[in-house]
Amino acid sequence: VTKNGDNTIQMTINKYANNNTLYDMNDTEGTRFFQFSDDGTKQEQTYNIGKSLGKTKNGTFTVSGYDKDKCTISGNIAEGENAGTHGSLFDIKNDADVTLTLKDVTIADASKTTAGSVVNNESTSSTVNIINSNIKDSSSNVNGGAIYNKGNLNISNTTFSGNSSGTSEAPAKGGAIYNDGTMKLENVTLEYNPTQNAANDIYQDSNGETFLYGTNTINSLISGSGSIKNNGHLVLNTNNS
């Protein structure tokens, strides 16, 4: 593991960063990077967090891999006193000024009792970019199984699968995404996300605004009102199915 002057953490193939490294970078202000590195063999790498991440500090934070199907960040805690449990990832509070970019990675198995197990963005002045990634098998007990957004959310060339929100006793909305901000989707695929009470893959609240670009595909087995429930402003710019 190397830490450079620009707050860059690199994972050398088969030599994993400490399971608190991502936690520490998330807790660092300013411009920083968390990167998977490759020796040219394109081996699969999985980084397991050591505990749920805290508040995402201000600044520009880029988390990137070299192949979304080879580089995985897992919410499954594999070591320590909490081994066998699942934690949550990026938590952007309403007073934060953050630009978070997730690129060329799979994020899986995150879990949270409150909103947004992968990304919780409560800040109207913060931006989350998800590029060429997989978001899967993550859940929250309330709205927004994987993503909860009140700020700016840009997602491109990304697949959501197996995410869920709510419990059998307390149904919730938006198994993949709960949007109450501004969201742009381009070439996004949403597969079956079994949220409770026939809630939808995407739930858009009254303050939400969503723009669809490129080809977006929704493959849902959810009955009821469909895969996108829109109570805000939905703009279709191209092919969607």
Side-chain angles (χ1 to χ4, degrees):
V1 180
T2 60
K3 184 171 182 178
N4 302 321
D6 61 353
N7 292 328
T8 297
I9 297 294
Q10 290 188 316
M11 293 171 58
T12 303
I13 200 79
N14 288 334
K15 295 180 181 179
Y16 295 108
N18 179 282
N19 60 13
N20 286 321
T21 301
L22 185 60
Y23 181 97
D24 293 340
M25 296 307 297
N26 187 67
D27 194 44
T28 300
E29 290 193 351
T31 299
R32 66 270 197 200
F33 305 85
F34 180 97
Q35 297 171 309
F36 289 80
S37 62
D38 176 38
D39 64 356
T41 62
K42 300 292 184 182
Q43 293 186 31
E44 292 186 7
Q45 300 186 59
T46 298
Y47 176 87
N48 294 86
I49 61 173
K51 55 185 174 181
S52 292
L53 305 189
K55 174 183 175 180
T56 302
K57 294 295 181 65
N58 290 344
T60 300
F61 189 12
T62 301
V63 177
S64 63
Y66 50 81
D67 185 326
K68 67 179 180 180
D69 296 317
K70 298 290 183 66
C71 302
T72 298
I73 295 174
S74 175
N76 180 28
I77 299 173
E79 299 178 356
E81 62 183 19
N82 295 318
T85 63
H86 295 262
S88 58
L89 298 174
F90 308 99
D91 192 9
I92 303 171
K93 296 301 187 184
N94 59 13
D95 59 345
D97 185 3
V98 173
T99 298
L100 171 68
T101 299
L102 310 177
K103 183 178 181 181
D104 297 325
V105 294
T106 289
I107 298 183
D109 301 319
S111 181
K112 195 177 183 184
T113 56
T114 54
S117 62
V118 174
V119 177
N120 175 44
N121 182 16
E122 300 175 1
S123 170
T124 58
S125 59
S126 291
T127 297
V128 176
N129 304 304
I130 303 176
I131 304 166
N132 196 40
S133 294
N134 300 312
I135 310 295
K136 67 179 188 176
D137 301 333
S138 296
S139 64
S140 71
N141 288 358
V142 295
N143 295 333
I147 310 291
Y148 181 93
N149 178 59
K150 292 182 73 71
N152 301 295
L153 176 61
N154 305 308
I155 308 176
S156 61
N157 302 311
T158 292
T159 297
F160 288 79
S161 62
N163 305 293
S164 62
S165 64
T167 66
S168 57
E169 294 81 15
K173 300 169 182 176
I177 303 168
Y178 184 102
N179 181 50
D180 200 26
T182 299
M183 178 169 65
K184 296 178 181 179
L185 304 180
E186 183 173 2
N187 303 328
V188 172
T189 298
L190 293 103
E191 297 179 350
Y192 176 41
N193 294 306
T195 54
Q196 302 291 331
N197 195 33
N200 304 293
D201 291 332
I202 297 175
Y203 182 92
Q204 178 154 271
D205 212 337
S206 57
N207 292 323
E209 185 173 45
T210 293
F211 300 87
L212 302 180
Y213 301 92
T215 299
N216 299 285
T217 301
I218 299 171
N219 178 20
S220 175
L221 300 179
I222 299 172
S223 61
S225 54
S227 295
I228 297 180
K229 185 171 184 180
N230 176 45
N231 292 312
H233 183 203
L234 182 65
V235 179
L236 306 178
N237 291 288
T238 186
N239 298 327
N240 296 279
S241 61

